[in-house]
Amino acid sequence: MRRVAVTGMGLVSPLGHSAAEAFDAARAGRSAIHRLEAPFTHRLAAPLATTVQFNGADHFDPPKLRMLDRVSQFALVAASRALDDAQAQLTDAERCRTGVFVGTGMGGINSIDEGYQTLYADNSDRIKPFMILLGMYNAPAAWIGIENKFTGPNLTYSTACSSSAVAIGEAWLRVARGDLDVAVAGGAEAPLAFGSLKAWEALRTLAVIDQANPSASCKPFSKNRSGMVLGEGAAMLVLEPWERAVARGATIHGELIGYGLFTDGGHITRPSVEGQAAAMRAALQSAGIEAAEVDAINAHGTGTQANDSVETAAIKAVFGERASRIPISATKALHGHLLGATSALECVMSFMAMQHSVALPTLHLDQADPACDLDYVPQVAREGVPIRTMLSSSFAFGGTNAVLALRAAPG
């Protein structure tokens, strides 16, 4: 297995449009959660979201824009930024050995929702001619391949909240095995359509509004947590063999060293301690490291009652008495839950945290919960924390638990 370097990182996120901008916002504790403004918000119980300041017309000409759902727009721009960051000047032969791996939980839901509005609410048959192309789940990955003439594997993963962790992990496997020389991997999500928000609301997993401070409505690991806040955006990484990156003088942001995947077999929405712990152990085994070598964890940390207590117990099961000494960050309190894109954004935040020796804060943790009693870096970033190795965890509806093992680039 070859070592795999991360040489490019690109974002379209609620916290910013570059890794540095998003990291600075997270480090400063600037939550992107806000009251959602849209014509339908009066019909939502808790109109909260994290949104991206983004206008597709600034990036695509009108004929192209008509074929792109918001999720594909995000994906294309994030991938372009990642490739620019990697300074990837690929030959035609190298493009044939470049793959695209994208995770998304809800695909082109905005276009699908709009189509249903036309059909059922407006009682019209005037569906957009590109509706299938706009709504299909593999459109973001396909467009990245088309725009860049990448003819290697082009794969889309939809495993709910772990989608982009799976995409990055599967890309890592292909590069590490020598199947590919370059991979663009990450996730994209644009789930803030009315129908989507009402469906999530019906599932009773969304946070209630903190009336004193709406931006504090997502409270991972706090006793008064009430749920998650949905967000939109995309994050992409460029992966390549370590030797190739060094040979061409690339800036290396860090190294992917392992990937653990384990599926709960008990319930479609209820997480299990055993499944989450098994995924973490699988990541350690894949990376060839011991639990004692992990310096920090980026938690799934959704802010739901069920997940946060289960995740706490799973970390204890893997790390034993040392669990209480590991700094654990839950950044969804800052950027919201981007569903299929969250894992990729959190992976980028983890690499930035290692580069800057910072444990990012878990905001709004203002009430201690006996069931969540680990070191969650409450409220304020912790500076001067030497972090060489991290785990970034993603646990999903459907039971697909994915954990990425990350290592800092040599100083």
Side-chain angles (χ1 to χ4, degrees):
M1 297 285 280
R2 302 187 295 185
R3 293 176 67 187
V4 177
V6 175
T7 55
M9 302 192 297
L11 297 184
V12 175
S13 89
L15 292 178
H17 286 268
S18 70
E21 186 180 2
F23 174 74
D24 287 346
R27 187 182 199 171
R30 294 195 295 270
S31 171
I33 294 170
H34 62 90
R35 288 182 181 269
L36 184 64
E37 295 181 6
F40 53 75
T41 52
H42 66 285
R43 296 179 62 185
L44 297 175
L48 293 165
T50 62
T51 55
V52 176
Q53 296 300 311
F54 183 93
N55 183 351
D58 295 336
H59 302 276
F60 308 100
D61 59 34
K64 174 62 68 64
L65 193 57
R66 285 195 292 270
M67 299 179 69
L68 299 174
D69 183 88
R70 191 167 172 86
V71 71
S72 294
Q73 297 170 37
F74 289 165
L76 276 166
V77 173
S80 176
R81 289 171 175 169
L83 289 163
D84 287 346
D85 182 44
Q87 299 184 329
Q89 303 295 323
L90 302 176
T91 66
D92 289 343
E94 288 171 323
R95 291 175 193 275
C96 292
R97 289 181 53 79
T98 299
V100 179
F101 302 77
V102 175
T104 185
M106 304 192 74
I109 189 67
N110 278 280
S111 295
I112 294 169
D113 197 60
E114 182 183 341
Y116 287 158
Q117 172 73 21
T118 300
L119 275 175
Y120 302 126
D122 301 340
N123 199 29
S124 169
D125 293 331
R126 295 179 63 84
I127 297 296
K128 288 182 177 179
F130 299 132
M131 182 58 65
I132 294 297
L133 307 182
L134 287 160
M136 64 189 193
Y137 279 56
N138 67 319
W143 280 114
I144 293 171
I146 291 166
E147 288 295 293
N148 295 283
K149 296 182 171 56
F150 297 150
T151 53
N154 191 293
L155 298 170
T156 297
Y157 300 88
S158 189
T159 58
C161 311
S162 61
S163 297
S164 54
V166 172
I168 293 168
E170 295 296 319
W172 170 77
L173 284 171
R174 300 294 183 98
V175 176
R177 287 198 310 242
D179 299 343
L180 295 173
D181 291 331
V182 180
V184 177
E189 204 76 85
L192 304 180
F194 178 48
S196 166
L197 290 168
K198 287 300 291 184
W200 280 100
E201 183 180 287
L203 200 55
R204 301 184 184 278
T205 57
L206 299 184
V208 300
I209 294 179
D210 184 316
Q211 296 297 333
N213 180 9
S215 70
S217 297
C218 182
K219 309 173 189 291
F221 299 107
S222 187
K223 188 174 183 180
N224 61 337
R225 63 191 183 274
S226 63
M228 61 189 189
V229 174
L230 295 184
E232 62 177 3
M236 298 290 167
L237 308 178
V238 175
L239 312 181
E240 60 183 289
W242 187 272
E243 292 79 4
R244 181 183 188 277
V246 171
R248 70 182 186 87
T251 297
I252 296 176
H253 298 297
E255 183 179 1
L256 268 165
I257 60 173
Y259 162 52
L261 193 64
F262 193 90
T263 304
D264 291 324
H267 196 277
I268 198 164
T269 61
R270 188 180 305 130
S272 77
V273 173
E274 297 77 16
Q276 294 188 6
M280 285 186 272
R281 291 191 183 103
L284 296 173
Q285 182 178 12
S286 171
I289 61 175
E290 300 295 328
E293 297 178 63
V294 174
D295 301 310
I297 296 172
N298 185 289
H300 187 52
T302 57
T304 61
Q305 285 290 331
N307 175 81
D308 292 4
S309 57
V310 167
E311 186 168 10
T312 300
I315 292 170
K316 290 179 179 179
V318 174
F319 294 95
E321 59 84 23
R322 186 171 172 268
S324 62
R325 301 196 300 274
I326 301 172
I328 301 166
S329 304
T331 56
K332 289 181 179 69
L334 291 153
H335 53 66
H337 198 331
L338 279 61
L339 302 177
T342 296
S343 311
L345 176 56
E346 292 172 351
C347 185
V348 170
M349 291 293 94
S350 297
F351 279 121
M352 294 296 291
M354 288 190 288
Q355 287 178 22
H356 293 272
S357 300
V358 171
L360 289 172
T362 298
L363 288 192
H364 320 134
L365 204 173
D366 50 19
Q367 293 187 22
D369 183 348
C372 301
D373 56 353
L374 298 178
D375 178 8
Y376 298 110
V377 194
Q379 309 293 23
V380 179
R382 191 173 299 161
E383 304 285 338
V385 181
I387 306 173
R388 173 70 174 154
T389 304
M390 281 189 74
L391 296 185
S392 186
S393 299
S394 300
F395 309 124
F397 285 171
T400 301
N401 302 308
V403 178
L404 300 172
L406 317 175
R407 181 165 288 157

